[in-house]
Amino acid sequence: MHYLYIYIYICYPYSFNSYNTVDRKGTMTKNCRLTVFIGLLVVNLVQNSLSSVVSVGDFNKDFYVMWSPNHVNTSADGRTRSLILDKDSGAGFASNEMFLFGEIDMQIKLVPGHSAGTVVAFYLTSDQPNRDEIDFEFLGNVTGQPYILQTNVFADGFDNREERIHLWFDPTKDFHTYSILWNLHQIVFMVDWVPIRVYRNHADKGVAFPRWQPMGIKISLWNGDSWATRGGRDKVDWSKGPFIASFRNYKIDACIWKGNARFCRADSTTNWWNKDRYSTLTSTQRRLFKWVRKYFLIYDYCLDNIRFQNNLPRECSLPKY
């Protein structure tokens, strides 16, 4: 609060009898009250600006390697990184900071060729027992069969909210942008800016929503052949390895967790994602969202009556946007 101290000093100099600061009854004049107000405003703006970050670029500065550093390759300028999976190990890295709301973009090129059993994960997680988590999981497949993109949401430690789609392009041929917009109103999963899934904040109706726990960014490549491809029937063929996934041109525009949720939950110019215009999908986004659902959706937990014994989760009957 150093700024506040400075402005108080201006209002109360050495003599408290100054007409410009305090009148004879000990009441602040308008000029002094205005000065204190401006000082408090500056404090608020400074703290808000320090709570957010726009980061584009250097993996070495914004991330640390979680495991198997010898399976992580980073370009000399830090702008491109690849992960390797072989018989010995997979690998992963994570953000140095934790965040509460924002938008995260990551360009990814997936494992080419025969990738059955492999899993590339790009996700946010709070790493708590009652964890919140927002997942992109890319499930490899046998040669000639398409990748499956699975998304999932954990809230207060509970998941069982999987959705799966096929992509409308080959994600192994080039980099594509995968984004998570997370704010007070909704979570939007996007592929090349096309919304593929929306999870709304229906906390007022008793539906858990990630809104209190800060989350870090994690990226990994690992062996998930116990479940990933055809329910675990197709295993990793190590003769096709090593398996490599690549990452570049990430962008983090989010509120850095500093221990006070008030700044991250505020509707400000810095926290643009909390503004009303981002509280729901636009008309164009809705058309694209419906297009994805119609032509590329292959599994939606909200349509799985057998799994939930005709007692679907509450959010399934509530609006998605």
Side-chain angles (χ1 to χ4, degrees):
M1 298 292 286
H2 300 299
Y3 288 90
L4 181 58
Y5 296 153
I6 291 171
Y7 282 97
I8 288 175
Y9 172 78
I10 292 173
C11 290
Y12 296 96
Y14 296 111
S15 172
F16 280 82
N17 296 321
S18 169
Y19 178 79
N20 290 327
T21 57
V22 182
D23 64 19
R24 292 177 181 177
K25 293 181 180 179
T27 305
M28 283 188 189
T29 63
K30 289 182 178 179
N31 287 341
C32 187
R33 288 197 299 270
L34 178 61
T35 305
V36 170
F37 172 76
I38 293 172
L40 291 170
L41 182 61
V42 169
V43 171
N44 189 54
L45 289 174
V46 168
Q47 288 183 327
N48 269 323
S49 64
L50 289 176
S51 71
S52 300
V53 63
V54 177
S55 181
V56 183
D58 192 338
F59 284 101
N60 291 322
K61 291 182 179 179
D62 292 323
F63 294 88
Y64 68 93
V65 176
M66 292 188 293
W67 47 295
S68 296
N70 61 337
H71 285 62
V72 180
N73 290 328
T74 307
S75 62
D77 61 3
R79 301 187 70 83
T80 302
R81 174 166 285 181
S82 61
L83 297 180
I84 301 169
L85 170 66
D86 58 23
K87 279 185 176 181
D88 295 325
S89 181
F93 58 96
S95 61
N96 294 322
E97 303 286 358
M98 302 285 282
F99 308 95
L100 187 64
F101 306 126
E103 182 173 292
I104 315 295
D105 309 324
M106 182 71 68
Q107 288 194 353
I108 305 173
K109 184 164 69 171
L110 297 175
V111 176
H114 189 103
S115 57
T118 69
V119 178
V120 175
F122 162 47
Y123 60 110
L124 304 178
T125 182
S126 65
D127 285 335
Q128 298 297 321
N130 60 327
R131 78 181 186 274
D132 291 339
E133 192 166 294
I134 304 170
D135 296 341
F136 274 108
E137 292 177 306
F138 304 89
L139 313 182
N141 218 327
V142 296
T143 301
Q145 295 300 310
Y147 256 87
I148 290 173
L149 170 51
Q150 174 171 285
T151 56
N152 200 1
V153 175
F154 287 70
D156 295 333
F158 296 97
D159 61 338
N160 293 329
R161 297 183 176 94
E162 301 91 345
E163 290 188 8
R164 291 184 173 189
I165 67 167
H166 285 144
L167 294 164
W168 50 94
F169 53 83
D170 184 344
T172 72
K173 298 296 185 184
D174 203 352
F175 287 90
H176 291 267
T177 303
Y178 303 89
S179 307
I180 296 169
L181 171 64
W182 170 38
N183 60 32
L184 287 166
H185 315 288
Q186 60 181 351
I187 298 166
V188 184
F189 297 80
M190 292 175 282
V191 177
D192 291 336
W193 315 116
V194 174
I196 65 164
R197 180 176 182 178
V198 181
Y199 184 82
R200 287 204 62 74
N201 183 353
H202 289 300
D204 60 336
K205 298 177 179 66
V207 177
F209 184 86
R211 56 189 173 135
W212 300 109
Q213 299 185 67
M215 293 194 274
I217 307 165
K218 291 190 176 182
I219 297 93
S220 60
L221 170 59
W222 48 285
N223 175 7
D225 68 6
S226 64
W227 65 275
T229 309
R230 292 204 307 143
R233 290 192 291 273
D234 294 320
K235 303 298 185 181
V236 174
D237 183 351
W238 297 110
S239 69
K240 307 291 187 183
F243 305 96
I244 300 174
S246 301
F247 310 84
R248 73 177 188 188
N249 292 350
Y250 67 87
K251 181 178 180 181
I252 304 170
D253 195 347
C255 187
I256 300 176
W257 177 250
K258 297 295 184 183
N260 190 338
R262 180 170 63 88
F263 296 115
C264 294
R265 299 174 68 85
D267 180 358
S268 66
T269 54
T270 304
N271 297 346
W272 58 265
W273 47 83
N274 283 333
K275 292 188 173 298
D276 285 343
R277 63 180 294 189
Y278 301 103
S279 64
T280 189
L281 299 183
T282 66
S283 57
T284 300
Q285 287 179 318
R286 291 179 188 186
R287 287 195 297 271
L288 291 169
F289 177 69
K290 290 177 181 177
W291 172 72
V292 171
R293 308 285 292 183
K294 181 177 181 179
Y295 294 105
F296 302 101
L297 182 70
I298 57 176
Y299 178 79
D300 179 356
Y301 74 106
C302 280
L303 301 176
D304 197 341
N305 279 298
I306 295 176
R307 175 183 179 183
F308 292 100
Q309 299 178 343
N310 294 316
N311 187 25
L312 295 172
R314 190 171 212 172
E315 66 268 20
C316 295
S317 61
L318 297 173
K320 291 187 180 296
Y321 49 77

